[in-house]
PDB file of all heavy atoms in Angstrom:
ATOM      1  N   ILE M  89       0.850  -1.195   0.000  1.00 96.00           N
ATOM      2  CA  ILE M  89       0.000   0.000   0.000  1.00 96.00           C
ATOM      3  C   ILE M  89       0.884   1.244   0.000  1.00 96.00           C
ATOM      4  O   ILE M  89       1.715   1.421   0.882  1.00 96.00           O
ATOM      5  CB  ILE M  89      -0.928  -0.002   1.234  1.00 96.00           C
ATOM      6  CG1 ILE M  89      -1.823  -1.240   1.222  1.00 96.00           C
ATOM      7  CG2 ILE M  89      -1.767   1.281   1.265  1.00 96.00           C
ATOM      8  CD1 ILE M  89      -2.510  -1.510   2.543  1.00 96.00           C
ATOM      9  N   ARG M  90       0.689   2.098  -1.015  1.00 96.00           N
ATOM     10  CA  ARG M  90       1.484   3.328  -1.142  1.00 96.00           C
ATOM     11  C   ARG M  90       0.623   4.588  -1.107  1.00 96.00           C
ATOM     12  O   ARG M  90       1.132   5.692  -1.007  1.00 96.00           O
ATOM     13  CB  ARG M  90       2.266   3.311  -2.463  1.00 96.00           C
ATOM     14  CG  ARG M  90       3.178   2.118  -2.672  1.00 96.00           C
ATOM     15  CD  ARG M  90       4.554   2.236  -2.064  1.00 96.00           C
ATOM     16  NE  ARG M  90       5.229   3.489  -2.278  1.00 96.00           N
ATOM     17  CZ  ARG M  90       5.937   3.816  -3.366  1.00 96.00           C
ATOM     18  NH1 ARG M  90       6.046   2.997  -4.374  1.00 96.00           N
ATOM     19  NH2 ARG M  90       6.530   4.985  -3.429  1.00 96.00           N
ATOM     20  N   ARG M  91      -0.714   4.411  -1.248  1.00 97.00           N
ATOM     21  CA  ARG M  91      -1.629   5.567  -1.244  1.00 97.00           C
ATOM     22  C   ARG M  91      -2.994   5.095  -0.755  1.00 97.00           C
ATOM     23  O   ARG M  91      -3.417   3.983  -1.045  1.00 97.00           O
ATOM     24  CB  ARG M  91      -1.747   6.152  -2.647  1.00 97.00           C
ATOM     25  CG  ARG M  91      -2.712   7.314  -2.770  1.00 97.00           C
ATOM     26  CD  ARG M  91      -2.613   8.013  -4.124  1.00 97.00           C
ATOM     27  NE  ARG M  91      -2.689   7.105  -5.243  1.00 97.00           N
ATOM     28  CZ  ARG M  91      -3.594   7.179  -6.219  1.00 97.00           C
ATOM     29  NH1 ARG M  91      -4.503   8.129  -6.225  1.00 97.00           N
ATOM     30  NH2 ARG M  91      -3.579   6.331  -7.222  1.00 97.00           N
ATOM     31  N   ILE M  92      -3.665   5.967   0.001  1.00 96.00           N
ATOM     32  CA  ILE M  92      -5.004   5.681   0.501  1.00 96.00           C
ATOM     33  C   ILE M  92      -5.871   6.918   0.273  1.00 96.00           C
ATOM     34  O   ILE M  92      -5.436   8.036   0.544  1.00 96.00           O
ATOM     35  CB  ILE M  92      -4.974   5.357   2.015  1.00 96.00           C
ATOM     36  CG1 ILE M  92      -4.092   4.133   2.284  1.00 96.00           C
ATOM     37  CG2 ILE M  92      -6.389   5.138   2.546  1.00 96.00           C
ATOM     38  CD1 ILE M  92      -3.823   3.891   3.754  1.00 96.00           C
ATOM     39  N   TYR M  93      -7.074   6.708  -0.251  1.00 97.00           N
ATOM     40  CA  TYR M  93      -8.040   7.802  -0.369  1.00 97.00           C
ATOM     41  C   TYR M  93      -9.436   7.206  -0.280  1.00 97.00           C
ATOM     42  O   TYR M  93      -9.599   5.986  -0.283  1.00 97.00           O
ATOM     43  CB  TYR M  93      -7.848   8.600  -1.660  1.00 97.00           C
ATOM     44  CG  TYR M  93      -8.042   7.829  -2.938  1.00 97.00           C
ATOM     45  CD1 TYR M  93      -9.262   7.837  -3.603  1.00 97.00           C
ATOM     46  CD2 TYR M  93      -6.988   7.115  -3.515  1.00 97.00           C
ATOM     47  CE1 TYR M  93      -9.434   7.150  -4.790  1.00 97.00           C
ATOM     48  CE2 TYR M  93      -7.149   6.422  -4.696  1.00 97.00           C
ATOM     49  CZ  TYR M  93      -8.380   6.443  -5.326  1.00 97.00           C
ATOM     50  OH  TYR M  93      -8.556   5.757  -6.500  1.00 97.00           O
ATOM     51  N   TYR M  94     -10.449   8.056  -0.171  1.00 97.00           N
ATOM     52  CA  TYR M  94     -11.806   7.545  -0.115  1.00 97.00           C
ATOM     53  C   TYR M  94     -12.765   8.455  -0.849  1.00 97.00           C
ATOM     54  O   TYR M  94     -12.531   9.644  -1.009  1.00 97.00           O
ATOM     55  CB  TYR M  94     -12.264   7.277   1.322  1.00 97.00           C
ATOM     56  CG  TYR M  94     -12.134   8.425   2.288  1.00 97.00           C
ATOM     57  CD1 TYR M  94     -13.220   9.244   2.576  1.00 97.00           C
ATOM     58  CD2 TYR M  94     -10.933   8.666   2.942  1.00 97.00           C
ATOM     59  CE1 TYR M  94     -13.106  10.284   3.486  1.00 97.00           C
ATOM     60  CE2 TYR M  94     -10.810   9.702   3.853  1.00 97.00           C
ATOM     61  CZ  TYR M  94     -11.894  10.509   4.120  1.00 97.00           C
ATOM     62  OH  TYR M  94     -11.782  11.543   5.010  1.00 97.00           O
ATOM     63  N   LEU M  95     -13.834   7.835  -1.331  1.00 97.00           N
ATOM     64  CA  LEU M  95     -14.892   8.519  -2.065  1.00 97.00           C
ATOM     65  C   LEU M  95     -16.132   8.530  -1.181  1.00 97.00           C
ATOM     66  O   LEU M  95     -16.459   7.515  -0.556  1.00 97.00           O
ATOM     67  CB  LEU M  95     -15.218   7.763  -3.359  1.00 97.00           C
ATOM     68  CG  LEU M  95     -14.048   7.396  -4.275  1.00 97.00           C
ATOM     69  CD1 LEU M  95     -14.510   6.456  -5.369  1.00 97.00           C
ATOM     70  CD2 LEU M  95     -13.437   8.647  -4.857  1.00 97.00           C
ATOM     71  N   TYR M  96     -16.841   9.651  -1.152  1.00 97.00           N
ATOM     72  CA  TYR M  96     -18.047   9.748  -0.330  1.00 97.00           C
ATOM     73  C   TYR M  96     -18.944  10.851  -0.873  1.00 97.00           C
ATOM     74  O   TYR M  96     -18.532  11.614  -1.749  1.00 97.00           O
ATOM     75  CB  TYR M  96     -17.696   9.995   1.138  1.00 97.00           C
ATOM     76  CG  TYR M  96     -16.932  11.275   1.379  1.00 97.00           C
ATOM     77  CD1 TYR M  96     -17.585  12.422   1.805  1.00 97.00           C
ATOM     78  CD2 TYR M  96     -15.557  11.347   1.161  1.00 97.00           C
ATOM     79  CE1 TYR M  96     -16.889  13.602   2.014  1.00 97.00           C
ATOM     80  CE2 TYR M  96     -14.865  12.514   1.368  1.00 97.00           C
ATOM     81  CZ  TYR M  96     -15.532  13.643   1.796  1.00 97.00           C
ATOM     82  OH  TYR M  96     -14.834  14.810   1.990  1.00 97.00           O
ATOM     83  N   ASP M  97     -20.165  10.916  -0.372  1.00 97.00           N
ATOM     84  CA  ASP M  97     -21.162  11.893  -0.811  1.00 97.00           C
ATOM     85  C   ASP M  97     -21.382  11.852  -2.325  1.00 97.00           C
ATOM     86  O   ASP M  97     -21.562  12.891  -2.967  1.00 97.00           O
ATOM     87  CB  ASP M  97     -20.780  13.323  -0.380  1.00 97.00           C
ATOM     88  CG  ASP M  97     -20.906  13.551   1.112  1.00 97.00           C
ATOM     89  OD1 ASP M  97     -21.586  12.744   1.785  1.00 97.00           O
ATOM     90  OD2 ASP M  97     -20.332  14.542   1.610  1.00 97.00           O
ATOM     91  N   ILE M  98     -21.379  10.660  -2.892  1.00 95.00           N
ATOM     92  CA  ILE M  98     -21.645  10.515  -4.327  1.00 95.00           C
ATOM     93  C   ILE M  98     -23.153  10.662  -4.532  1.00 95.00           C
ATOM     94  O   ILE M  98     -23.934   9.932  -3.925  1.00 95.00           O
ATOM     95  CB  ILE M  98     -21.140   9.160  -4.867  1.00 95.00           C
ATOM     96  CG1 ILE M  98     -19.605   9.114  -4.815  1.00 95.00           C
ATOM     97  CG2 ILE M  98     -21.561   8.960  -6.311  1.00 95.00           C
ATOM     98  CD1 ILE M  98     -19.039   8.329  -3.743  1.00 95.00           C
ATOM     99  N   PRO M  99     -23.583  11.620  -5.358  1.00 93.00           N
ATOM    100  CA  PRO M  99     -25.026  11.827  -5.567  1.00 93.00           C
ATOM    101  C   PRO M  99     -25.698  10.593  -6.171  1.00 93.00           C
ATOM    102  O   PRO M  99     -25.075   9.829  -6.927  1.00 93.00           O
ATOM    103  CB  PRO M  99     -25.074  12.997  -6.559  1.00 93.00           C
ATOM    104  CG  PRO M  99     -23.758  13.688  -6.408  1.00 93.00           C
ATOM    105  CD  PRO M  99     -22.771  12.600  -6.077  1.00 93.00           C
ATOM    106  N   ALA M 100     -26.965  10.404  -5.841  1.00 87.00           N
ATOM    107  CA  ALA M 100     -27.744   9.277  -6.359  1.00 87.00           C
ATOM    108  C   ALA M 100     -27.673   9.251  -7.880  1.00 87.00           C
ATOM    109  O   ALA M 100     -27.773  10.281  -8.537  1.00 87.00           O
ATOM    110  CB  ALA M 100     -29.194   9.380  -5.895  1.00 87.00           C
ATOM    111  N   GLY M 101     -27.470   8.062  -8.430  1.00 92.00           N
ATOM    112  CA  GLY M 101     -27.446   7.880  -9.879  1.00 92.00           C
ATOM    113  C   GLY M 101     -26.106   8.174 -10.530  1.00 92.00           C
ATOM    114  O   GLY M 101     -25.940   7.927 -11.724  1.00 92.00           O
ATOM    115  N   GLU M 102     -25.143   8.702  -9.790  1.00 94.00           N
ATOM    116  CA  GLU M 102     -23.829   9.013 -10.368  1.00 94.00           C
ATOM    117  C   GLU M 102     -22.916   7.795 -10.293  1.00 94.00           C
ATOM    118  O   GLU M 102     -23.117   6.891  -9.482  1.00 94.00           O
ATOM    119  CB  GLU M 102     -23.177  10.180  -9.629  1.00 94.00           C
ATOM    120  CG  GLU M 102     -23.863  11.509  -9.869  1.00 94.00           C
ATOM    121  CD  GLU M 102     -23.830  11.943 -11.326  1.00 94.00           C
ATOM    122  OE1 GLU M 102     -22.783  11.777 -11.982  1.00 94.00           O
ATOM    123  OE2 GLU M 102     -24.866  12.432 -11.804  1.00 94.00           O
ATOM    124  N   SER M 103     -21.885   7.788 -11.139  1.00 95.00           N
ATOM    125  CA  SER M 103     -20.887   6.718 -11.113  1.00 95.00           C
ATOM    126  C   SER M 103     -19.505   7.337 -10.957  1.00 95.00           C
ATOM    127  O   SER M 103     -19.328   8.538 -11.166  1.00 95.00           O
ATOM    128  CB  SER M 103     -20.959   5.876 -12.391  1.00 95.00           C
ATOM    129  OG  SER M 103     -20.631   6.670 -13.511  1.00 95.00           O
ATOM    130  N   ARG M 104     -18.561   6.508 -10.572  1.00 96.00           N
ATOM    131  CA  ARG M 104     -17.165   6.926 -10.422  1.00 96.00           C
ATOM    132  C   ARG M 104     -16.313   5.917 -11.184  1.00 96.00           C
ATOM    133  O   ARG M 104     -16.803   4.917 -11.680  1.00 96.00           O
ATOM    134  CB  ARG M 104     -16.759   6.932  -8.939  1.00 96.00           C
ATOM    135  CG  ARG M 104     -17.477   7.944  -8.075  1.00 96.00           C
ATOM    136  CD  ARG M 104     -17.140   9.364  -8.457  1.00 96.00           C
ATOM    137  NE  ARG M 104     -15.713   9.579  -8.521  1.00 96.00           N
ATOM    138  CZ  ARG M 104     -15.027  10.465  -7.820  1.00 96.00           C
ATOM    139  NH1 ARG M 104     -15.657  11.248  -6.976  1.00 96.00           N
ATOM    140  NH2 ARG M 104     -13.734  10.608  -7.966  1.00 96.00           N
ATOM    141  N   GLY M 105     -15.025   6.186 -11.227  1.00 95.00           N
ATOM    142  CA  GLY M 105     -14.134   5.285 -11.956  1.00 95.00           C
ATOM    143  C   GLY M 105     -14.184   5.633 -13.423  1.00 95.00           C
ATOM    144  O   GLY M 105     -13.910   6.759 -13.812  1.00 95.00           O
ATOM    145  N   GLY M 106     -14.554   4.659 -14.245  1.00 94.00           N
ATOM    146  CA  GLY M 106     -14.573   4.889 -15.684  1.00 94.00           C
ATOM    147  C   GLY M 106     -13.169   5.069 -16.214  1.00 94.00           C
ATOM    148  O   GLY M 106     -12.905   5.980 -16.993  1.00 94.00           O
ATOM    149  N   HIS M 107     -12.253   4.182 -15.773  1.00 96.00           N
ATOM    150  CA  HIS M 107     -10.867   4.233 -16.225  1.00 96.00           C
ATOM    151  C   HIS M 107     -10.194   2.888 -15.953  1.00 96.00           C
ATOM    152  O   HIS M 107     -10.772   2.014 -15.320  1.00 96.00           O
ATOM    153  CB  HIS M 107     -10.100   5.367 -15.529  1.00 96.00           C
ATOM    154  CG  HIS M 107      -9.995   5.214 -14.050  1.00 96.00           C
ATOM    155  ND1 HIS M 107     -10.884   5.813 -13.191  1.00 96.00           N
ATOM    156  CD2 HIS M 107      -9.120   4.536 -13.281  1.00 96.00           C
ATOM    157  CE1 HIS M 107     -10.558   5.514 -11.948  1.00 96.00           C
ATOM    158  NE2 HIS M 107      -9.492   4.723 -11.968  1.00 96.00           N
ATOM    159  N   ALA M 108      -8.975   2.767 -16.451  1.00 96.00           N
ATOM    160  CA  ALA M 108      -8.109   1.617 -16.163  1.00 96.00           C
ATOM    161  C   ALA M 108      -6.766   2.171 -15.710  1.00 96.00           C
ATOM    162  O   ALA M 108      -6.500   3.371 -15.872  1.00 96.00           O
ATOM    163  CB  ALA M 108      -7.931   0.755 -17.414  1.00 96.00           C
ATOM    164  N   HIS M 109      -5.945   1.309 -15.156  1.00 96.00           N
ATOM    165  CA  HIS M 109      -4.591   1.704 -14.754  1.00 96.00           C
ATOM    166  C   HIS M 109      -3.576   0.868 -15.508  1.00 96.00           C
ATOM    167  O   HIS M 109      -3.804  -0.302 -15.799  1.00 96.00           O
ATOM    168  CB  HIS M 109      -4.392   1.504 -13.246  1.00 96.00           C
ATOM    169  CG  HIS M 109      -5.127   2.502 -12.426  1.00 96.00           C
ATOM    170  ND1 HIS M 109      -4.712   3.803 -12.297  1.00 96.00           N
ATOM    171  CD2 HIS M 109      -6.275   2.395 -11.710  1.00 96.00           C
ATOM    172  CE1 HIS M 109      -5.557   4.455 -11.524  1.00 96.00           C
ATOM    173  NE2 HIS M 109      -6.528   3.627 -11.166  1.00 96.00           N
ATOM    174  N   ARG M 110      -2.455   1.491 -15.814  1.00 94.00           N
ATOM    175  CA  ARG M 110      -1.385   0.816 -16.555  1.00 94.00           C
ATOM    176  C   ARG M 110      -0.631  -0.187 -15.682  1.00 94.00           C
ATOM    177  O   ARG M 110      -0.352  -1.296 -16.129  1.00 94.00           O
ATOM    178  CB  ARG M 110      -0.428   1.846 -17.141  1.00 94.00           C
ATOM    179  CG  ARG M 110      -1.113   2.772 -18.138  1.00 94.00           C
ATOM    180  CD  ARG M 110      -0.192   3.898 -18.593  1.00 94.00           C
ATOM    181  NE  ARG M 110      -0.920   4.875 -19.370  1.00 94.00           N
ATOM    182  CZ  ARG M 110      -1.237   4.756 -20.657  1.00 94.00           C
ATOM    183  NH1 ARG M 110      -0.876   3.672 -21.308  1.00 94.00           N
ATOM    184  NH2 ARG M 110      -1.909   5.692 -21.272  1.00 94.00           N
ATOM    185  N   GLU M 111      -0.266   0.194 -14.459  1.00 94.00           N
ATOM    186  CA  GLU M 111       0.517  -0.685 -13.582  1.00 94.00           C
ATOM    187  C   GLU M 111      -0.032  -0.764 -12.158  1.00 94.00           C
ATOM    188  O   GLU M 111       0.378  -1.627 -11.395  1.00 94.00           O
ATOM    189  CB  GLU M 111       1.973  -0.204 -13.524  1.00 94.00           C
ATOM    190  CG  GLU M 111       2.687  -0.265 -14.855  1.00 94.00           C
ATOM    191  CD  GLU M 111       4.123   0.243 -14.768  1.00 94.00           C
ATOM    192  OE1 GLU M 111       4.718   0.207 -13.679  1.00 94.00           O
ATOM    193  OE2 GLU M 111       4.644   0.679 -15.809  1.00 94.00           O
ATOM    194  N   LEU M 112      -0.911   0.119 -11.799  1.00 96.00           N
ATOM    195  CA  LEU M 112      -1.383   0.250 -10.430  1.00 96.00           C
ATOM    196  C   LEU M 112      -2.381  -0.845 -10.039  1.00 96.00           C
ATOM    197  O   LEU M 112      -3.278  -1.166 -10.803  1.00 96.00           O
ATOM    198  CB  LEU M 112      -2.061   1.614 -10.271  1.00 96.00           C
ATOM    199  CG  LEU M 112      -2.641   1.922  -8.904  1.00 96.00           C
ATOM    200  CD1 LEU M 112      -1.859   3.055  -8.262  1.00 96.00           C
ATOM    201  CD2 LEU M 112      -4.090   2.328  -9.027  1.00 96.00           C
TER     202      LEU M 112
END
């Protein structure tokens, strides 16, 4: 583990992510 973060208060019906990572 080298980084920690969190997602919160995401409005109803919304999405997050929508990506890929090369090495992570």
Side-chain angles (χ1 to χ4, degrees):
I89 300 165
R90 304 275 315 276
R91 177 170 51 122
I92 300 170
Y93 62 95
Y94 54 97
L95 309 170
Y96 61 98
D97 289 343
I98 293 104
E102 290 298 319
S103 64
R104 295 294 309 238
H107 63 265
H109 288 285
R110 298 173 189 280
E111 297 179 25
L112 179 113

